[in-house]
Amino acid sequence: MTIALTFHGGAGTVTGSKYRHTVLIVGYAAPGTRARSLANGARQIKIHGRYTMVRADVAQLDAFSAHADADELVRWATAGTPPKTTYLVHGEPEGSEAVAERLRAERDWQAVVPRDRERVLI
């Protein structure tokens, strides 16, 4: 989950305008989201069907992500009895494939990243 906060500075803190706004993107900004567009420097974004100019400064702070990293995921997954097959179904394809490869290489697990819309009988 990404949370965007807007901070307002008083008129005396900035030269050139009455107010200065900063959008702070906290955590991961997924591709295709407004947060990612802002982080990538978009000068306009679509909100409620209308394009809006971005007049705020934008900053990203990655320190507050609630997602586990690869080491934490592998440690958690391998804490119990190994499953017959592990399906990694959440996350970016490249990251999911990297975790699957680690499970295969380090634990000799059958780890699979299904294709989009692929169905698996379990």
Side-chain angles (χ1 to χ4, degrees):
M1 172 175 57
T2 297
I3 301 170
L5 305 171
T6 303
F7 295 95
H8 302 275
T13 63
V14 180
T15 302
S17 68
K18 185 175 179 182
Y19 297 104
R20 186 166 190 95
H21 304 282
T22 299
V23 176
L24 180 60
I25 301 168
V26 179
Y28 179 69
T33 64
R34 288 183 196 98
R36 174 61 70 90
S37 295
L38 288 169
N40 288 343
R43 297 315 308 156
Q44 64 177 352
I45 57 172
K46 193 173 186 179
I47 300 175
H48 300 300
R50 297 179 60 195
Y51 285 94
T52 302
M53 295 299 299
V54 177
R55 294 187 298 239
D57 292 327
V58 177
Q60 189 166 8
L61 186 60
D62 295 322
F64 291 107
S65 177
H67 291 89
D69 64 15
D71 291 336
E72 292 171 308
L73 288 171
V74 170
R75 187 171 40 255
W76 175 83
T78 59
T81 304
K84 181 177 177 183
T85 304
T86 299
Y87 296 95
L88 290 97
V89 297
H90 181 74
E92 299 298 316
E94 298 82 17
S96 297
E97 190 54 54
V99 172
E101 181 55 37
R102 281 190 61 183
L103 290 170
R104 290 189 287 262
E106 295 174 15
R107 301 296 177 144
D108 197 31
W109 281 21
Q110 179 159 337
V112 177
V113 179
R115 293 181 310 275
D116 188 34
R117 308 229 188 274
E118 179 178 356
R119 293 180 182 207
V120 177
L121 181 62
I122 55 174

